[in-house]
Amino acid sequence: MKIGLITFHETTNFGSFLQTYGLYIAIINLGYDCEIVDYKCESIRKRELPKIKPKSCSLKDIAIYFILERKLQKKFASFQNTVHKYMKLSKPYYKYNIEEADKEYDAFVVGSDMLWNLSITDHDMVYFLDFVNDKGKKYAFSTSIGNRWNDKEIVAVSPFLKDFRRISLREKDSVRWVSGFLKKKIEFVCDPTMLLEKNNWEQLIVNEVKNKDNYILIYFYDPQMMEDAKKYASRHNYKVLYINYGKPVKGVKNIHPYHISEFLSLIKYAKSVFTASYHGMLFSIYFEVPFYCYMKENGNNVRFHSVFDRLNLWQCYQKSGERFKETVIDYGKVTEAVKEWRAESLAVLENYWEN
């Protein structure tokens, strides 16, 4: 059985790459032939791919290009090398020829990441498998919506969703909401990165951080998080490493890892992680690293909430404007809860094609 996986694989985002790898390997481990459908979504490429030249001839745009885009070009090249090293890709598909993919696969899986966030994809219905004629071939695993669809959008996507043979989402709130208006069983599963065990991720760490001095890691920017992290590091005599591809920030060591291996290694050996990233949080959990999570108040937060609820980690959530409070994570209990969630989700995936 040949399965086509449609996801956000052409990216400079660590989380997007890691969830692609997690689901791809999980399907392969179940004994199926899996291939990444190399679909070139115009909106995603505009959002994710580095620019090949300055936006304009202004000094500001030229400076942005050399400070940011040149680094992202190197990062993107590294990601593409890693994709081709560990995963199998189809020929390139675009809007005009994606229908040709229908005859190449026995089933399609949409997952994971924010593939059903219409503001990100610019309402691209390929991620709802609009090109697939046989509804028995349509599956979604651990897909994410983010902000809820409005009434007009619900009308647009519902006919495609009803055709799916199985749907699972990674946010509990989205499961309740979609199953309510769709009148269809929707299952709640973990993020695909959780389908693999810690040792699977450690195998990707081929170039570990060179300096394993005591440090905390900041991933994503938030003013309050930056200040809290600096004070925390000062109290514990830790260095502060900040993953930053843009303008350098004073008072911290600005770093720009290009390889998946570097990113995983940085989290694994950190004394603590300060992050506003969903996957920054998850990999802190997998490597059993203390973390503090800062979330912006928007619809995308439901993915964080689902993890906090399931793993009982609300103490790691740092609310905006509130005083920072150090916390201790009982990773004995958390890691057991992760194993349980992983087993449940793998059982759902394995059951997708048993008939």
Side-chain angles (χ1 to χ4, degrees):
M1 184 175 184
K2 187 176 182 181
I3 297 171
L5 174 58
I6 296 184
T7 186
F8 294 158
H9 65 284
E10 197 173 26
T11 180
T12 56
N13 182 285
F14 286 112
S16 294
F17 173 88
L18 292 165
Q19 63 83 24
T20 298
Y21 179 84
L23 185 51
Y24 175 86
I25 295 298
I27 294 173
I28 293 291
N29 288 344
L30 290 175
Y32 297 105
D33 179 12
C34 185
E35 190 171 81
I36 306 294
V37 179
D38 192 14
Y39 174 59
K40 311 290 188 181
C41 173
E42 186 175 333
S43 177
I44 297 302
R45 301 191 93 203
K46 185 182 294 184
R47 175 189 177 93
E48 293 290 331
L49 270 60
K51 307 297 184 293
I52 59 173
K53 61 181 181 180
K55 186 178 179 180
S56 73
C57 293
S58 70
L59 291 177
K60 180 181 177 181
D61 285 337
I62 292 173
I64 290 174
Y65 175 76
F66 282 101
I67 292 173
L68 174 64
E69 298 299 337
R70 294 291 291 271
K71 293 173 186 172
L72 293 183
Q73 288 173 10
K74 187 174 180 180
K75 186 181 180 186
F76 180 69
S78 170
F79 275 36
Q80 290 303 292
N81 288 337
T82 308
V83 166
H84 288 280
K85 180 179 180 180
Y86 291 106
M87 291 173 269
K88 185 167 64 172
L89 269 68
S90 72
K91 71 175 186 180
Y93 288 103
Y94 300 85
K95 200 81 167 175
Y96 69 85
N97 71 338
I98 187 62
E99 290 184 359
E100 296 175 10
D102 192 8
K103 61 180 179 293
E104 297 296 326
Y105 302 95
D106 301 302
F108 289 91
V109 180
V110 177
S112 168
D113 221 331
M114 295 260 184
L115 273 72
W116 287 351
N117 186 324
L118 299 178
S119 63
I120 291 178
T121 64
D122 194 23
H123 296 70
D124 191 334
M125 292 297 125
V126 167
Y127 294 106
F128 293 86
L129 302 180
D130 66 340
F131 64 94
V132 179
N133 293 315
D134 183 356
K135 64 182 180 181
K137 295 168 64 173
K138 299 173 68 171
Y139 299 83
F141 184 84
S142 190
T143 311
S144 190
I145 294 170
N147 295 310
R148 289 187 175 189
W149 304 313
N150 60 37
D151 291 343
K152 185 177 180 180
E153 290 168 338
I154 290 175
V155 171
V157 303
S158 290
F160 299 117
L161 292 176
K162 288 177 180 177
D163 281 348
F164 275 72
R165 189 166 184 177
R166 298 282 291 275
I167 296 175
S168 64
L169 304 175
R170 70 179 185 185
E171 288 90 32
K172 205 160 192 176
D173 177 77
S174 298
V175 169
R176 289 190 292 262
W177 177 62
V178 176
S179 60
F181 72 76
L182 204 58
K183 307 301 179 185
K184 185 183 183 80
K185 181 182 179 182
I186 310 292
E187 294 166 287
F188 174 50
V189 296
C190 65
D191 183 83
T193 58
M194 198 178 288
L195 298 177
L196 304 188
E197 297 184 18
K198 176 183 175 182
N199 67 300
N200 297 123
W201 295 114
E202 289 175 330
Q203 290 172 7
L204 291 183
I205 301 178
V206 293
N207 297 310
E208 297 190 349
V209 286
K210 295 178 181 179
N211 189 346
K212 293 183 183 177
D213 290 342
N214 292 343
Y215 67 89
I216 65 168
L217 181 69
I218 301 176
Y219 183 43
F220 280 24
Y221 180 79
D222 176 272
Q224 180 180 332
M225 178 172 66
M226 185 67 69
E227 289 306 308
D228 288 347
K230 288 179 182 178
K231 293 176 182 177
Y232 175 92
S234 179
R235 285 195 300 272
H236 294 278
N237 197 28
Y238 294 152
K239 294 181 179 180
V240 181
L241 305 186
Y242 171 41
I243 295 180
N244 176 28
Y245 299 89
K247 183 180 179 180
V249 172
K250 295 180 179 179
V252 300
K253 182 177 181 180
N254 296 266
I255 60 174
H256 33 267
Y258 299 118
H259 306 284
I260 294 296
S261 175
E262 293 177 89
F263 176 73
L264 295 176
S265 181
L266 283 164
I267 293 180
K268 179 181 177 181
Y269 293 108
K271 294 299 181 182
S272 189
V273 173
F274 286 71
T275 187
S277 158
Y278 178 69
H279 286 100
M281 171 189 69
L282 285 180
F283 278 89
S284 298
I285 294 170
Y286 305 155
F287 291 130
E288 300 184 357
V289 176
F291 71 94
Y292 298 92
C293 191
Y294 295 70
M295 296 182 295
K296 293 182 179 180
E297 297 303 322
N298 58 45
N300 295 337
N301 282 346
V302 291
R303 52 185 176 158
F304 291 91
H305 296 169
S306 293
V307 174
F308 292 155
D309 281 340
R310 180 65 192 248
L311 303 182
N312 193 25
L313 283 170
W314 276 102
Q315 74 272 24
C316 299
Y317 171 33
Q318 298 296 309
K319 293 184 180 179
S320 178
E322 291 192 359
R323 185 177 179 182
F324 177 79
K325 187 177 180 180
E326 289 193 35
T327 186
V328 176
I329 301 173
D330 185 348
Y331 268 118
K333 292 182 179 179
V334 171
T335 300
E336 283 302 311
V338 167
K339 289 179 181 178
E340 182 179 321
W341 199 2
R342 177 187 299 123
E344 290 175 10
S345 301
L346 280 171
V348 170
L349 184 63
E350 186 173 13
N351 183 253
Y352 265 25
W353 303 289
E354 74 171 10
N355 296 320

